[in-house]
Amino acid sequence: MSASRVDRETRARSDDHLALRVWLRLLTCTQLIERRVRQGLRVGFGTTLPRFDLMSQLERHPEGLKMNELSRRMMVSGGNITGITDQLVKEGLVERKAEPADRRAFRVRLTREGGKAFAEMAREHEAWVAGLFSGLKLKDQRELFRLLAKFKQQAMRGDMS
């Protein structure tokens, strides 16, 4: 089997439990989408997915977010947020200001230039993802969305029976 055909799903056997095979297929699909997005961001914009994700959080909060809020929302350590923020500040894409109510805290927000750069990246990001799903009819995409929502609710309840 060629390296391009080896993925997590190839670990499954036809006699494995269907739930395991579904899980491995979902994981593989997620990794394929992420790989495409990472490549597009790297080649098209010279940036990384974590930087895009941080800018995405800030785009949704024009008033800015505290560093600890960014860390919680992105589910990464404060040190990771600090490193990414430092790079984006140097490039003029975000600004960091002291939080008046808490002298130890900083609020981060997109600059005008950062907002423009993010908007361009977000348009391309959407096109990449839409392109990956373009082989599915709209009704199939809706059905997949519906089924995944149903599964998500079950998983959130912790129902493992």
Side-chain angles (χ1 to χ4, degrees):
M1 193 172 288
S2 72
S4 64
R5 299 280 300 150
V6 175
D7 54 42
R8 297 209 184 246
E9 189 178 355
T10 61
R11 295 178 184 174
R13 296 185 315 258
S14 60
D15 61 338
D16 283 338
H17 196 285
L18 179 59
L20 176 62
R21 294 184 1 242
V22 170
W23 158 239
L24 291 172
R25 180 161 294 169
L26 279 170
L27 184 58
T28 298
C29 289
T30 299
Q31 290 172 333
L32 291 169
I33 293 167
E34 185 175 311
R35 185 180 310 144
R36 172 63 183 105
V37 168
R38 284 181 187 278
Q39 176 190 24
L41 290 170
R42 184 179 56 253
V43 172
F45 299 99
T47 196
T48 64
L49 185 55
R51 289 165 49 110
F52 176 85
D53 288 344
L54 187 144
M55 292 175 75
S56 175
Q57 289 296 322
L58 296 177
E59 192 272 336
R60 288 174 172 81
H61 300 277
E63 74 283 4
L65 291 168
K66 290 182 187 178
M67 298 285 278
N68 64 347
E69 291 173 306
L70 275 168
S71 177
R72 187 173 33 80
R73 289 172 185 273
M74 293 178 61
M75 297 182 281
V76 297
S77 74
N80 286 343
I81 296 298
T82 299
I84 296 168
T85 301
D86 288 347
Q87 294 171 357
L88 294 171
V89 166
K90 284 180 191 172
E91 295 170 25
L93 300 173
V94 302
E95 61 185 7
R96 180 177 22 215
K97 301 224 176 185
E99 181 70 15
D102 183 354
R103 290 184 296 174
R104 297 170 299 165
F106 292 93
R107 186 167 291 274
V108 181
R109 67 181 195 171
L110 287 174
T111 62
R112 183 171 306 207
E113 182 183 337
K116 289 178 185 176
F118 177 76
E120 185 180 347
M121 286 187 278
R123 279 190 300 276
E124 288 294 317
H125 175 275
E126 183 176 347
W128 299 327
V129 174
L132 288 168
F133 281 90
S134 65
L136 294 177
K137 293 179 182 175
L138 194 55
K139 74 176 188 73
D140 292 333
Q141 290 181 43
R142 286 189 180 117
E143 180 65 4
L144 179 58
F145 188 73
R146 186 190 69 75
L147 289 170
L148 289 172
K150 187 175 179 179
F151 175 75
K152 178 182 174 183
Q153 288 301 312
Q154 176 188 328
M156 289 176 73
R157 286 192 310 267
D159 186 0
M160 294 176 48
S161 56

PDB file of all heavy atoms in Angstrom, residues 38-74:
ATOM      1  N   ARG A  38      -4.106  23.248   6.477  1.00  0.00           N
ATOM      2  CA  ARG A  38      -2.738  23.617   6.876  1.00  0.00           C
ATOM      3  C   ARG A  38      -1.883  23.942   5.648  1.00  0.00           C
ATOM      4  O   ARG A  38      -1.143  24.921   5.639  1.00  0.00           O
ATOM      5  CB  ARG A  38      -2.085  22.486   7.674  1.00  0.00           C
ATOM      6  CG  ARG A  38      -2.568  22.374   9.084  1.00  0.00           C
ATOM      7  CD  ARG A  38      -1.841  21.238   9.823  1.00  0.00           C
ATOM      8  NE  ARG A  38      -2.377  20.993  11.117  1.00  0.00           N
ATOM      9  CZ  ARG A  38      -2.081  21.675  12.228  1.00  0.00           C
ATOM     10  NH1 ARG A  38      -1.215  22.664  12.161  1.00  0.00           N
ATOM     11  NH2 ARG A  38      -2.638  21.365  13.375  1.00  0.00           N
ATOM     12  N   GLN A  39      -1.985  23.105   4.622  1.00  0.00           N
ATOM     13  CA  GLN A  39      -1.214  23.325   3.400  1.00  0.00           C
ATOM     14  C   GLN A  39      -1.616  24.651   2.741  1.00  0.00           C
ATOM     15  O   GLN A  39      -0.770  25.429   2.324  1.00  0.00           O
ATOM     16  CB  GLN A  39      -1.420  22.166   2.428  1.00  0.00           C
ATOM     17  CG  GLN A  39      -0.735  22.370   1.095  1.00  0.00           C
ATOM     18  CD  GLN A  39      -1.163  21.325   0.070  1.00  0.00           C
ATOM     19  OE1 GLN A  39      -2.234  20.734   0.168  1.00  0.00           O
ATOM     20  NE2 GLN A  39      -0.326  21.105  -0.922  1.00  0.00           N
ATOM     21  N   GLY A  40      -2.911  24.902   2.636  1.00  0.00           N
ATOM     22  CA  GLY A  40      -3.380  26.141   2.023  1.00  0.00           C
ATOM     23  C   GLY A  40      -2.924  27.368   2.775  1.00  0.00           C
ATOM     24  O   GLY A  40      -2.509  28.369   2.167  1.00  0.00           O
ATOM     25  N   LEU A  41      -2.975  27.313   4.095  1.00  0.00           N
ATOM     26  CA  LEU A  41      -2.523  28.454   4.897  1.00  0.00           C
ATOM     27  C   LEU A  41      -1.022  28.668   4.753  1.00  0.00           C
ATOM     28  O   LEU A  41      -0.559  29.810   4.634  1.00  0.00           O
ATOM     29  CB  LEU A  41      -2.888  28.249   6.371  1.00  0.00           C
ATOM     30  CG  LEU A  41      -4.370  28.341   6.704  1.00  0.00           C
ATOM     31  CD1 LEU A  41      -4.625  27.871   8.139  1.00  0.00           C
ATOM     32  CD2 LEU A  41      -4.894  29.764   6.500  1.00  0.00           C
ATOM     33  N   ARG A  42      -0.264  27.574   4.746  1.00  0.00           N
ATOM     34  CA  ARG A  42       1.194  27.667   4.628  1.00  0.00           C
ATOM     35  C   ARG A  42       1.599  28.212   3.252  1.00  0.00           C
ATOM     36  O   ARG A  42       2.364  29.166   3.155  1.00  0.00           O
ATOM     37  CB  ARG A  42       1.832  26.294   4.883  1.00  0.00           C
ATOM     38  CG  ARG A  42       3.359  26.312   4.873  1.00  0.00           C
ATOM     39  CD  ARG A  42       3.966  24.932   5.151  1.00  0.00           C
ATOM     40  NE  ARG A  42       3.508  23.910   4.222  1.00  0.00           N
ATOM     41  CZ  ARG A  42       2.643  22.931   4.507  1.00  0.00           C
ATOM     42  NH1 ARG A  42       2.130  22.820   5.706  1.00  0.00           N
ATOM     43  NH2 ARG A  42       2.298  22.049   3.597  1.00  0.00           N
ATOM     44  N   VAL A  43       1.044  27.616   2.197  1.00  0.00           N
ATOM     45  CA  VAL A  43       1.427  27.992   0.835  1.00  0.00           C
ATOM     46  C   VAL A  43       0.822  29.338   0.424  1.00  0.00           C
ATOM     47  O   VAL A  43       1.501  30.190  -0.136  1.00  0.00           O
ATOM     48  CB  VAL A  43       1.019  26.883  -0.167  1.00  0.00           C
ATOM     49  CG1 VAL A  43       1.220  27.324  -1.594  1.00  0.00           C
ATOM     50  CG2 VAL A  43       1.795  25.602   0.121  1.00  0.00           C
ATOM     51  N   GLY A  44      -0.452  29.527   0.725  1.00  0.00           N
ATOM     52  CA  GLY A  44      -1.138  30.722   0.263  1.00  0.00           C
ATOM     53  C   GLY A  44      -0.894  31.963   1.089  1.00  0.00           C
ATOM     54  O   GLY A  44      -0.965  33.083   0.570  1.00  0.00           O
ATOM     55  N   PHE A  45      -0.599  31.769   2.381  1.00  0.00           N
ATOM     56  CA  PHE A  45      -0.514  32.926   3.271  1.00  0.00           C
ATOM     57  C   PHE A  45       0.725  32.940   4.165  1.00  0.00           C
ATOM     58  O   PHE A  45       0.898  33.868   4.953  1.00  0.00           O
ATOM     59  CB  PHE A  45      -1.772  33.002   4.146  1.00  0.00           C
ATOM     60  CG  PHE A  45      -3.026  33.175   3.335  1.00  0.00           C
ATOM     61  CD1 PHE A  45      -3.823  32.079   3.040  1.00  0.00           C
ATOM     62  CD2 PHE A  45      -3.402  34.419   2.855  1.00  0.00           C
ATOM     63  CE1 PHE A  45      -4.980  32.223   2.278  1.00  0.00           C
ATOM     64  CE2 PHE A  45      -4.546  34.579   2.101  1.00  0.00           C
ATOM     65  CZ  PHE A  45      -5.343  33.481   1.807  1.00  0.00           C
ATOM     66  N   GLY A  46       1.539  31.904   4.069  1.00  0.00           N
ATOM     67  CA  GLY A  46       2.739  31.859   4.903  1.00  0.00           C
ATOM     68  C   GLY A  46       2.415  31.850   6.390  1.00  0.00           C
ATOM     69  O   GLY A  46       3.140  32.443   7.184  1.00  0.00           O
ATOM     70  N   THR A  47       1.324  31.190   6.750  1.00  0.00           N
ATOM     71  CA  THR A  47       0.923  31.168   8.154  1.00  0.00           C
ATOM     72  C   THR A  47       0.568  29.752   8.567  1.00  0.00           C
ATOM     73  O   THR A  47       0.656  28.822   7.772  1.00  0.00           O
ATOM     74  CB  THR A  47      -0.233  32.166   8.417  1.00  0.00           C
ATOM     75  OG1 THR A  47      -0.335  32.398   9.823  1.00  0.00           O
ATOM     76  CG2 THR A  47      -1.556  31.677   7.871  1.00  0.00           C
ATOM     77  N   THR A  48       0.175  29.615   9.822  1.00  0.00           N
ATOM     78  CA  THR A  48      -0.122  28.300  10.386  1.00  0.00           C
ATOM     79  C   THR A  48      -1.577  28.242  10.848  1.00  0.00           C
ATOM     80  O   THR A  48      -2.228  29.273  11.060  1.00  0.00           O
ATOM     81  CB  THR A  48       0.784  28.005  11.592  1.00  0.00           C
ATOM     82  OG1 THR A  48       0.480  28.952  12.629  1.00  0.00           O
ATOM     83  CG2 THR A  48       2.261  28.072  11.212  1.00  0.00           C
ATOM     84  N   LEU A  49      -2.063  27.037  11.063  1.00  0.00           N
ATOM     85  CA  LEU A  49      -3.420  26.843  11.547  1.00  0.00           C
ATOM     86  C   LEU A  49      -3.615  27.451  12.945  1.00  0.00           C
ATOM     87  O   LEU A  49      -4.638  28.107  13.175  1.00  0.00           O
ATOM     88  CB  LEU A  49      -3.797  25.360  11.515  1.00  0.00           C
ATOM     89  CG  LEU A  49      -5.236  25.013  11.873  1.00  0.00           C
ATOM     90  CD1 LEU A  49      -6.244  25.771  10.999  1.00  0.00           C
ATOM     91  CD2 LEU A  49      -5.449  23.507  11.734  1.00  0.00           C
ATOM     92  N   PRO A  50      -2.675  27.292  13.884  1.00  0.00           N
ATOM     93  CA  PRO A  50      -2.878  27.941  15.187  1.00  0.00           C
ATOM     94  C   PRO A  50      -2.993  29.466  15.091  1.00  0.00           C
ATOM     95  O   PRO A  50      -3.800  30.080  15.788  1.00  0.00           O
ATOM     96  CB  PRO A  50      -1.647  27.522  16.001  1.00  0.00           C
ATOM     97  CG  PRO A  50      -1.224  26.229  15.387  1.00  0.00           C
ATOM     98  CD  PRO A  50      -1.519  26.385  13.912  1.00  0.00           C
ATOM     99  N   ARG A  51      -2.211  30.079  14.214  1.00  0.00           N
ATOM    100  CA  ARG A  51      -2.306  31.536  14.025  1.00  0.00           C
ATOM    101  C   ARG A  51      -3.670  31.895  13.428  1.00  0.00           C
ATOM    102  O   ARG A  51      -4.304  32.858  13.854  1.00  0.00           O
ATOM    103  CB  ARG A  51      -1.175  32.025  13.123  1.00  0.00           C
ATOM    104  CG  ARG A  51       0.179  31.983  13.793  1.00  0.00           C
ATOM    105  CD  ARG A  51       1.329  32.123  12.806  1.00  0.00           C
ATOM    106  NE  ARG A  51       1.179  33.231  11.894  1.00  0.00           N
ATOM    107  CZ  ARG A  51       1.915  34.341  11.916  1.00  0.00           C
ATOM    108  NH1 ARG A  51       2.858  34.491  12.827  1.00  0.00           N
ATOM    109  NH2 ARG A  51       1.730  35.287  11.026  1.00  0.00           N
ATOM    110  N   PHE A  52      -4.120  31.124  12.452  1.00  0.00           N
ATOM    111  CA  PHE A  52      -5.437  31.342  11.853  1.00  0.00           C
ATOM    112  C   PHE A  52      -6.525  31.188  12.915  1.00  0.00           C
ATOM    113  O   PHE A  52      -7.459  31.994  12.998  1.00  0.00           O
ATOM    114  CB  PHE A  52      -5.650  30.352  10.706  1.00  0.00           C
ATOM    115  CG  PHE A  52      -7.017  30.423  10.085  1.00  0.00           C
ATOM    116  CD1 PHE A  52      -7.292  31.345   9.090  1.00  0.00           C
ATOM    117  CD2 PHE A  52      -8.025  29.559  10.495  1.00  0.00           C
ATOM    118  CE1 PHE A  52      -8.567  31.417   8.512  1.00  0.00           C
ATOM    119  CE2 PHE A  52      -9.296  29.622   9.925  1.00  0.00           C
ATOM    120  CZ  PHE A  52      -9.559  30.558   8.929  1.00  0.00           C
ATOM    121  N   ASP A  53      -6.423  30.145  13.741  1.00  0.00           N
ATOM    122  CA  ASP A  53      -7.425  29.899  14.771  1.00  0.00           C
ATOM    123  C   ASP A  53      -7.478  31.050  15.779  1.00  0.00           C
ATOM    124  O   ASP A  53      -8.559  31.461  16.198  1.00  0.00           O
ATOM    125  CB  ASP A  53      -7.142  28.579  15.500  1.00  0.00           C
ATOM    126  CG  ASP A  53      -7.445  27.363  14.649  1.00  0.00           C
ATOM    127  OD1 ASP A  53      -8.144  27.493  13.623  1.00  0.00           O
ATOM    128  OD2 ASP A  53      -6.971  26.268  15.018  1.00  0.00           O
ATOM    129  N   LEU A  54      -6.317  31.573  16.184  1.00  0.00           N
ATOM    130  CA  LEU A  54      -6.295  32.689  17.118  1.00  0.00           C
ATOM    131  C   LEU A  54      -6.956  33.917  16.486  1.00  0.00           C
ATOM    132  O   LEU A  54      -7.797  34.574  17.109  1.00  0.00           O
ATOM    133  CB  LEU A  54      -4.857  33.015  17.537  1.00  0.00           C
ATOM    134  CG  LEU A  54      -4.723  34.048  18.647  1.00  0.00           C
ATOM    135  CD1 LEU A  54      -3.565  33.694  19.559  1.00  0.00           C
ATOM    136  CD2 LEU A  54      -4.540  35.447  18.109  1.00  0.00           C
ATOM    137  N   MET A  55      -6.626  34.202  15.242  1.00  0.00           N
ATOM    138  CA  MET A  55      -7.231  35.347  14.556  1.00  0.00           C
ATOM    139  C   MET A  55      -8.735  35.137  14.386  1.00  0.00           C
ATOM    140  O   MET A  55      -9.509  36.093  14.479  1.00  0.00           O
ATOM    141  CB  MET A  55      -6.530  35.581  13.216  1.00  0.00           C
ATOM    142  CG  MET A  55      -5.089  36.056  13.385  1.00  0.00           C
ATOM    143  SD  MET A  55      -4.194  36.194  11.817  1.00  0.00           S
ATOM    144  CE  MET A  55      -4.922  37.711  11.176  1.00  0.00           C
ATOM    145  N   SER A  56      -9.151  33.903  14.176  1.00  0.00           N
ATOM    146  CA  SER A  56     -10.565  33.591  14.043  1.00  0.00           C
ATOM    147  C   SER A  56     -11.312  33.907  15.340  1.00  0.00           C
ATOM    148  O   SER A  56     -12.419  34.474  15.316  1.00  0.00           O
ATOM    149  CB  SER A  56     -10.737  32.114  13.678  1.00  0.00           C
ATOM    150  OG  SER A  56     -12.092  31.752  13.661  1.00  0.00           O
ATOM    151  N   GLN A  57     -10.734  33.547  16.458  1.00  0.00           N
ATOM    152  CA  GLN A  57     -11.348  33.873  17.747  1.00  0.00           C
ATOM    153  C   GLN A  57     -11.482  35.387  17.914  1.00  0.00           C
ATOM    154  O   GLN A  57     -12.519  35.879  18.352  1.00  0.00           O
ATOM    155  CB  GLN A  57     -10.523  33.293  18.907  1.00  0.00           C
ATOM    156  CG  GLN A  57     -10.590  31.800  19.038  1.00  0.00           C
ATOM    157  CD  GLN A  57     -11.982  31.314  19.367  1.00  0.00           C
ATOM    158  OE1 GLN A  57     -12.723  31.923  20.125  1.00  0.00           O
ATOM    159  NE2 GLN A  57     -12.358  30.186  18.765  1.00  0.00           N
ATOM    160  N   LEU A  58     -10.441  36.108  17.547  1.00  0.00           N
ATOM    161  CA  LEU A  58     -10.467  37.566  17.697  1.00  0.00           C
ATOM    162  C   LEU A  58     -11.455  38.210  16.730  1.00  0.00           C
ATOM    163  O   LEU A  58     -12.094  39.205  17.065  1.00  0.00           O
ATOM    164  CB  LEU A  58      -9.069  38.144  17.501  1.00  0.00           C
ATOM    165  CG  LEU A  58      -8.034  37.711  18.543  1.00  0.00           C
ATOM    166  CD1 LEU A  58      -6.664  38.294  18.208  1.00  0.00           C
ATOM    167  CD2 LEU A  58      -8.475  38.099  19.948  1.00  0.00           C
ATOM    168  N   GLU A  59     -11.603  37.640  15.558  1.00  0.00           N
ATOM    169  CA  GLU A  59     -12.545  38.189  14.579  1.00  0.00           C
ATOM    170  C   GLU A  59     -13.968  38.113  15.114  1.00  0.00           C
ATOM    171  O   GLU A  59     -14.791  38.990  14.859  1.00  0.00           O
ATOM    172  CB  GLU A  59     -12.410  37.421  13.250  1.00  0.00           C
ATOM    173  CG  GLU A  59     -13.122  38.069  12.083  1.00  0.00           C
ATOM    174  CD  GLU A  59     -14.569  37.638  11.948  1.00  0.00           C
ATOM    175  OE1 GLU A  59     -14.929  36.542  12.440  1.00  0.00           O
ATOM    176  OE2 GLU A  59     -15.348  38.410  11.344  1.00  0.00           O
ATOM    177  N   ARG A  60     -14.250  37.078  15.881  1.00  0.00           N
ATOM    178  CA  ARG A  60     -15.588  36.903  16.459  1.00  0.00           C
ATOM    179  C   ARG A  60     -15.826  37.811  17.665  1.00  0.00           C
ATOM    180  O   ARG A  60     -16.948  37.928  18.149  1.00  0.00           O
ATOM    181  CB  ARG A  60     -15.787  35.446  16.883  1.00  0.00           C
ATOM    182  CG  ARG A  60     -15.960  34.498  15.713  1.00  0.00           C
ATOM    183  CD  ARG A  60     -16.003  33.046  16.174  1.00  0.00           C
ATOM    184  NE  ARG A  60     -16.339  32.138  15.117  1.00  0.00           N
ATOM    185  CZ  ARG A  60     -15.489  31.680  14.204  1.00  0.00           C
ATOM    186  NH1 ARG A  60     -14.229  32.080  14.235  1.00  0.00           N
ATOM    187  NH2 ARG A  60     -15.877  30.840  13.268  1.00  0.00           N
ATOM    188  N   HIS A  61     -14.765  38.423  18.165  1.00  0.00           N
ATOM    189  CA  HIS A  61     -14.836  39.292  19.350  1.00  0.00           C
ATOM    190  C   HIS A  61     -14.081  40.592  19.077  1.00  0.00           C
ATOM    191  O   HIS A  61     -12.939  40.757  19.528  1.00  0.00           O
ATOM    192  CB  HIS A  61     -14.262  38.568  20.577  1.00  0.00           C
ATOM    193  CG  HIS A  61     -14.988  37.312  20.909  1.00  0.00           C
ATOM    194  ND1 HIS A  61     -16.148  37.309  21.643  1.00  0.00           N
ATOM    195  CD2 HIS A  61     -14.758  36.031  20.559  1.00  0.00           C
ATOM    196  CE1 HIS A  61     -16.594  36.076  21.746  1.00  0.00           C
ATOM    197  NE2 HIS A  61     -15.769  35.277  21.092  1.00  0.00           N
ATOM    198  N   PRO A  62     -14.709  41.509  18.363  1.00  0.00           N
ATOM    199  CA  PRO A  62     -14.017  42.764  17.990  1.00  0.00           C
ATOM    200  C   PRO A  62     -13.493  43.559  19.187  1.00  0.00           C
ATOM    201  O   PRO A  62     -12.529  44.308  19.053  1.00  0.00           O
ATOM    202  CB  PRO A  62     -15.083  43.563  17.239  1.00  0.00           C
ATOM    203  CG  PRO A  62     -16.146  42.589  16.885  1.00  0.00           C
ATOM    204  CD  PRO A  62     -16.063  41.452  17.854  1.00  0.00           C
ATOM    205  N   GLU A  63     -14.129  43.387  20.348  1.00  0.00           N
ATOM    206  CA  GLU A  63     -13.670  44.086  21.553  1.00  0.00           C
ATOM    207  C   GLU A  63     -12.381  43.476  22.092  1.00  0.00           C
ATOM    208  O   GLU A  63     -11.735  44.018  22.977  1.00  0.00           O
ATOM    209  CB  GLU A  63     -14.766  44.064  22.630  1.00  0.00           C
ATOM    210  CG  GLU A  63     -14.970  42.727  23.314  1.00  0.00           C
ATOM    211  CD  GLU A  63     -15.732  41.653  22.527  1.00  0.00           C
ATOM    212  OE1 GLU A  63     -16.084  41.868  21.348  1.00  0.00           O
ATOM    213  OE2 GLU A  63     -15.963  40.571  23.099  1.00  0.00           O
ATOM    214  N   GLY A  64     -12.008  42.333  21.546  1.00  0.00           N
ATOM    215  CA  GLY A  64     -10.802  41.632  21.977  1.00  0.00           C
ATOM    216  C   GLY A  64     -11.105  40.601  23.044  1.00  0.00           C
ATOM    217  O   GLY A  64     -12.218  40.522  23.571  1.00  0.00           O
ATOM    218  N   LEU A  65     -10.113  39.801  23.340  1.00  0.00           N
ATOM    219  CA  LEU A  65     -10.219  38.768  24.373  1.00  0.00           C
ATOM    220  C   LEU A  65      -8.983  38.827  25.250  1.00  0.00           C
ATOM    221  O   LEU A  65      -7.885  39.148  24.785  1.00  0.00           O
ATOM    222  CB  LEU A  65     -10.295  37.377  23.733  1.00  0.00           C
ATOM    223  CG  LEU A  65     -11.567  37.035  22.970  1.00  0.00           C
ATOM    224  CD1 LEU A  65     -11.377  35.758  22.161  1.00  0.00           C
ATOM    225  CD2 LEU A  65     -12.747  36.888  23.917  1.00  0.00           C
ATOM    226  N   LYS A  66      -9.174  38.492  26.520  1.00  0.00           N
ATOM    227  CA  LYS A  66      -8.027  38.377  27.410  1.00  0.00           C
ATOM    228  C   LYS A  66      -7.234  37.146  26.993  1.00  0.00           C
ATOM    229  O   LYS A  66      -7.781  36.194  26.428  1.00  0.00           O
ATOM    230  CB  LYS A  66      -8.485  38.222  28.859  1.00  0.00           C
ATOM    231  CG  LYS A  66      -9.090  39.468  29.453  1.00  0.00           C
ATOM    232  CD  LYS A  66      -9.442  39.180  30.909  1.00  0.00           C
ATOM    233  CE  LYS A  66     -10.192  40.307  31.533  1.00  0.00           C
ATOM    234  NZ  LYS A  66     -10.558  39.978  32.926  1.00  0.00           N
ATOM    235  N   MET A  67      -5.966  37.158  27.303  1.00  0.00           N
ATOM    236  CA  MET A  67      -5.089  36.046  26.941  1.00  0.00           C
ATOM    237  C   MET A  67      -5.618  34.727  27.522  1.00  0.00           C
ATOM    238  O   MET A  67      -5.621  33.717  26.825  1.00  0.00           O
ATOM    239  CB  MET A  67      -3.663  36.308  27.435  1.00  0.00           C
ATOM    240  CG  MET A  67      -3.009  37.536  26.833  1.00  0.00           C
ATOM    241  SD  MET A  67      -2.489  37.284  25.148  1.00  0.00           S
ATOM    242  CE  MET A  67      -0.946  36.457  25.426  1.00  0.00           C
ATOM    243  N   ASN A  68      -6.078  34.739  28.775  1.00  0.00           N
ATOM    244  CA  ASN A  68      -6.572  33.493  29.369  1.00  0.00           C
ATOM    245  C   ASN A  68      -7.857  33.021  28.681  1.00  0.00           C
ATOM    246  O   ASN A  68      -8.107  31.824  28.587  1.00  0.00           O
ATOM    247  CB  ASN A  68      -6.741  33.609  30.879  1.00  0.00           C
ATOM    248  CG  ASN A  68      -7.784  34.628  31.306  1.00  0.00           C
ATOM    249  OD1 ASN A  68      -8.244  35.440  30.508  1.00  0.00           O
ATOM    250  ND2 ASN A  68      -8.135  34.597  32.577  1.00  0.00           N
ATOM    251  N   GLU A  69      -8.675  33.956  28.173  1.00  0.00           N
ATOM    252  CA  GLU A  69      -9.863  33.571  27.421  1.00  0.00           C
ATOM    253  C   GLU A  69      -9.469  32.891  26.108  1.00  0.00           C
ATOM    254  O   GLU A  69     -10.067  31.896  25.704  1.00  0.00           O
ATOM    255  CB  GLU A  69     -10.741  34.785  27.116  1.00  0.00           C
ATOM    256  CG  GLU A  69     -11.417  35.396  28.328  1.00  0.00           C
ATOM    257  CD  GLU A  69     -12.134  36.689  27.989  1.00  0.00           C
ATOM    258  OE1 GLU A  69     -11.502  37.600  27.415  1.00  0.00           O
ATOM    259  OE2 GLU A  69     -13.335  36.782  28.293  1.00  0.00           O
ATOM    260  N   LEU A  70      -8.471  33.457  25.447  1.00  0.00           N
ATOM    261  CA  LEU A  70      -7.978  32.853  24.201  1.00  0.00           C
ATOM    262  C   LEU A  70      -7.473  31.438  24.468  1.00  0.00           C
ATOM    263  O   LEU A  70      -7.771  30.512  23.714  1.00  0.00           O
ATOM    264  CB  LEU A  70      -6.857  33.691  23.594  1.00  0.00           C
ATOM    265  CG  LEU A  70      -7.259  34.837  22.713  1.00  0.00           C
ATOM    266  CD1 LEU A  70      -6.058  35.750  22.433  1.00  0.00           C
ATOM    267  CD2 LEU A  70      -7.849  34.325  21.408  1.00  0.00           C
ATOM    268  N   SER A  71      -6.715  31.280  25.527  1.00  0.00           N
ATOM    269  CA  SER A  71      -6.167  29.974  25.881  1.00  0.00           C
ATOM    270  C   SER A  71      -7.283  28.962  26.107  1.00  0.00           C
ATOM    271  O   SER A  71      -7.241  27.841  25.591  1.00  0.00           O
ATOM    272  CB  SER A  71      -5.310  30.117  27.141  1.00  0.00           C
ATOM    273  OG  SER A  71      -4.824  28.880  27.556  1.00  0.00           O
ATOM    274  N   ARG A  72      -8.314  29.366  26.845  1.00  0.00           N
ATOM    275  CA  ARG A  72      -9.442  28.472  27.126  1.00  0.00           C
ATOM    276  C   ARG A  72     -10.214  28.132  25.857  1.00  0.00           C
ATOM    277  O   ARG A  72     -10.537  26.974  25.603  1.00  0.00           O
ATOM    278  CB  ARG A  72     -10.366  29.133  28.151  1.00  0.00           C
ATOM    279  CG  ARG A  72     -11.476  28.253  28.648  1.00  0.00           C
ATOM    280  CD  ARG A  72     -12.292  28.878  29.790  1.00  0.00           C
ATOM    281  NE  ARG A  72     -12.450  30.314  29.757  1.00  0.00           N
ATOM    282  CZ  ARG A  72     -13.339  30.968  28.984  1.00  0.00           C
ATOM    283  NH1 ARG A  72     -14.139  30.300  28.192  1.00  0.00           N
ATOM    284  NH2 ARG A  72     -13.431  32.281  29.031  1.00  0.00           N
ATOM    285  N   ARG A  73     -10.500  29.129  25.030  1.00  0.00           N
ATOM    286  CA  ARG A  73     -11.268  28.904  23.810  1.00  0.00           C
ATOM    287  C   ARG A  73     -10.521  28.013  22.820  1.00  0.00           C
ATOM    288  O   ARG A  73     -11.131  27.232  22.103  1.00  0.00           O
ATOM    289  CB  ARG A  73     -11.615  30.231  23.141  1.00  0.00           C
ATOM    290  CG  ARG A  73     -12.646  31.021  23.889  1.00  0.00           C
ATOM    291  CD  ARG A  73     -12.799  32.420  23.281  1.00  0.00           C
ATOM    292  NE  ARG A  73     -13.699  33.224  24.053  1.00  0.00           N
ATOM    293  CZ  ARG A  73     -15.016  33.244  23.888  1.00  0.00           C
ATOM    294  NH1 ARG A  73     -15.573  32.489  22.957  1.00  0.00           N
ATOM    295  NH2 ARG A  73     -15.770  34.010  24.639  1.00  0.00           N
ATOM    296  N   MET A  74      -9.205  28.171  22.760  1.00  0.00           N
ATOM    297  CA  MET A  74      -8.417  27.397  21.803  1.00  0.00           C
ATOM    298  C   MET A  74      -7.925  26.080  22.393  1.00  0.00           C
ATOM    299  O   MET A  74      -7.335  25.273  21.692  1.00  0.00           O
ATOM    300  CB  MET A  74      -7.249  28.239  21.287  1.00  0.00           C
ATOM    301  CG  MET A  74      -7.713  29.417  20.446  1.00  0.00           C
ATOM    302  SD  MET A  74      -6.364  30.451  19.862  1.00  0.00           S
ATOM    303  CE  MET A  74      -5.423  29.289  18.869  1.00  0.00           C
TER     304      MET A  74
END
